[in-house]
Amino acid sequence: MKMSFRWYGGKDPVTLDKIAQIPGMHGIVSAIYDVPVGQAWPVERIEALKAQANAKGLAFEVVESVPVHERIKLGAPDADELIAVFAENLRRLAAAGVKVVCYNFMPVFDWLRSELAQPLPDGSNALAYDEAAVLAMDPSTSELSLPGWDESYTREEMRELLSAYKSVDAEKLWENLGRFLHGVIPVCDEVGIKMAIHPDDPPWSLFGLPRVITGAEGYGRLFALEPSDNNGITLCTGSLGANPDNDLTALIKRWPKKLHFVHARNILITGERKFRESAHPTDCGSLDMYGILRALAEVGFDGYVRPDHGRMIWGETGKPGYGLYDRALGAAYLIGLWEGVKKTL
Ligand code: DNO
């Protein structure tokens, strides 16, 4: 496995120097964050990001994310033009040595939580999700700032967007995902990029918006749309694991060739559609991290892994889920676990 760390660029308080000091770190996971969705990323910017990482001995082989324009997900008349721009980005990234591109196909909202800093008894804090609290919010008027909320939308735009999705049910979203994949997977096959769709987080529909990448059934359908192994997934353990019906080791064993990227994190399920994020070790949450890494080792997984959301510990402040300390502890734990499972296969 190639251990990686998400880096949000020059404004990220977690510097490349700090990331490079975490033992066993192969590379960064990053993106060009300030180019509007639907535009091509300038080659010089991609090259500069790569050079910055390489100067610290870190690879830049994984992009998270190239965002999919809402109009692609909506199947709007200009969807094909926007798909062509996405494909152009893939060509540019491949030319710079990028191997894996993570993306998602969630309408309007990316990942959602009801709390960004739930206080924990040990004085740390973590992201948490409580469906009742989420559903009590009105996404078209909410003043709340949540991680999955795209703050670039004005209220009016948000209202329009939500209303445009009224005609997009799950079937239509599948159709639009198919159209997208037909446009980009042949390019991936040509340039050698692995697409890794991120599961919907949480893995069920919200606010009447369809969510389709939620577990085994969706994966079967996804892979049938484009059989190339470049049409693969990001196995986000915490996202999928929020639904206890998702059997993560079974998914790993069923589709080993589709696993290009793993977000390894743990959550503690605290009720029905209610959880909080925990430290990475198995004992801290509800997911069997040992079982997950063991299954990955058993299928010969050799892809990219990153520790995912950490708690805020030791007084650290910063981007919720993306501080240095708890993610670095997570990386060290995962590396140790991996060494252990590999030696006892
Ligand atoms: C949250 C992340 C997601 C992820 C996107 C991929 O921490 O896992 O924001 O990057 O869903 O497109």
Side-chain angles (χ1 to χ4, degrees):
M1 78 156 64
K2 299 178 193 77
M3 187 53 66
S4 319
F5 211 78
R6 193 168 195 181
W7 186 57
Y8 282 98
K11 291 187 193 133
D12 193 332
V14 182
T15 61
L16 285 177
D17 281 311
K18 289 176 182 164
I19 296 172
Q21 288 168 8
I22 303 168
M25 210 33 86
H26 170 86
I28 55 155
V29 172
S30 195
I32 307 294
Y33 290 101
D34 54 2
V35 172
V37 184
Q39 290 182 23
W41 291 358
V43 173
E44 324 74 73
R45 297 287 309 281
I46 299 170
E47 288 296 340
L49 181 53
K50 180 187 180 183
Q52 259 181 306
N54 291 174
K56 304 292 176 189
L58 296 164
F60 173 51
E61 295 165 352
V62 183
V63 164
E64 176 175 352
S65 308
V66 179
V68 178
H69 201 285
E70 292 300 330
R71 297 180 64 78
I72 297 178
K73 295 181 234 170
L74 283 164
D78 56 351
D80 288 334
E81 286 152 48
L82 291 160
I83 292 169
V85 174
F86 195 103
E88 173 58 22
N89 275 332
L90 295 178
R91 289 181 192 282
R92 293 181 184 191
L93 291 169
V98 169
K99 312 277 185 234
V100 172
V101 168
C102 175
Y103 70 105
N104 74 70
F105 216 77
M106 288 175 255
V108 191
F109 307 111
D110 193 323
W111 57 307
L112 281 178
R113 295 292 179 273
S114 50
E115 259 181 287
L116 298 179
Q118 184 174 94
L120 304 181
D122 64 4
S124 61
N125 65 72
L127 292 146
Y129 182 87
D130 179 351
E131 182 109 331
V134 170
L135 293 185
M137 298 171 205
D138 176 352
S140 63
T141 57
S142 181
E143 300 281 354
L144 278 167
S145 166
L146 291 174
W149 241 242
D150 186 331
E151 292 173 11
S152 60
Y153 294 123
T154 62
R155 280 190 186 190
E156 192 46 41
E157 283 166 341
M158 179 61 94
R159 254 194 295 273
E160 275 169 26
L161 194 54
L162 288 168
S163 119
Y165 271 103
K166 293 226 163 83
S167 60
V168 180
D169 58 8
E171 280 310 307
K172 185 80 186 139
L173 192 64
W174 274 115
E175 199 181 295
N176 299 340
L177 178 55
R179 182 171 172 188
F180 170 69
L181 292 172
H182 298 325
V184 300
I185 296 297
V187 176
C188 293
D189 292 345
E190 188 190 319
V191 301
I193 286 250
K194 294 176 163 76
M195 288 287 278
I197 195 167
H198 190 282
D200 303 343
D201 180 0
W204 50 75
S205 297
L206 282 161
F207 303 125
L209 294 164
R211 289 189 158 202
V212 295
I213 306 300
T214 56
E217 203 187 315
Y219 287 137
R221 195 161 173 184
L222 168 79
F223 302 143
L225 288 172
E226 273 290 336
S228 164
D229 284 339
N230 289 327
N231 175 25
I233 69 170
T234 296
L235 185 90
C236 178
T237 59
S239 301
L240 291 165
N243 178 355
D245 294 340
N246 278 328
D247 180 340
L248 295 167
T249 53
L251 287 176
I252 293 167
K253 291 189 178 164
R254 184 160 169 200
W255 286 298
K257 292 203 176 117
K258 307 289 186 183
L259 303 174
H260 303 319
F261 189 22
V262 175
H263 287 178
R265 67 178 165 89
N266 205 348
I267 54 168
L268 183 72
I269 298 180
T270 50
E272 175 83 18
R273 297 200 165 183
K274 199 171 167 189
F275 60 86
R276 71 162 172 80
E277 300 195 351
S278 71
H280 288 71
T282 302
D283 284 351
C284 299
S286 303
L287 305 182
D288 176 8
M289 302 305 281
Y290 167 81
I292 291 165
L293 264 69
R294 185 162 184 100
L296 287 167
E298 280 171 5
V299 301
F301 178 76
D302 189 30
Y304 300 87
V305 176
R306 69 171 179 82
D308 206 353
H309 310 167
R311 300 160 304 145
M312 284 298 174
I313 62 172
W314 303 337
E316 189 177 18
T317 53
K319 195 173 175 60
Y322 285 96
L324 170 67
Y325 303 140
D326 205 35
R327 283 190 301 149
L329 289 177
Y333 164 74
L334 294 167
I335 286 172
L337 200 49
W338 188 245
E339 183 178 339
V341 293
K342 292 281 275 190
K343 287 190 173 157
T344 52
L345 269 191

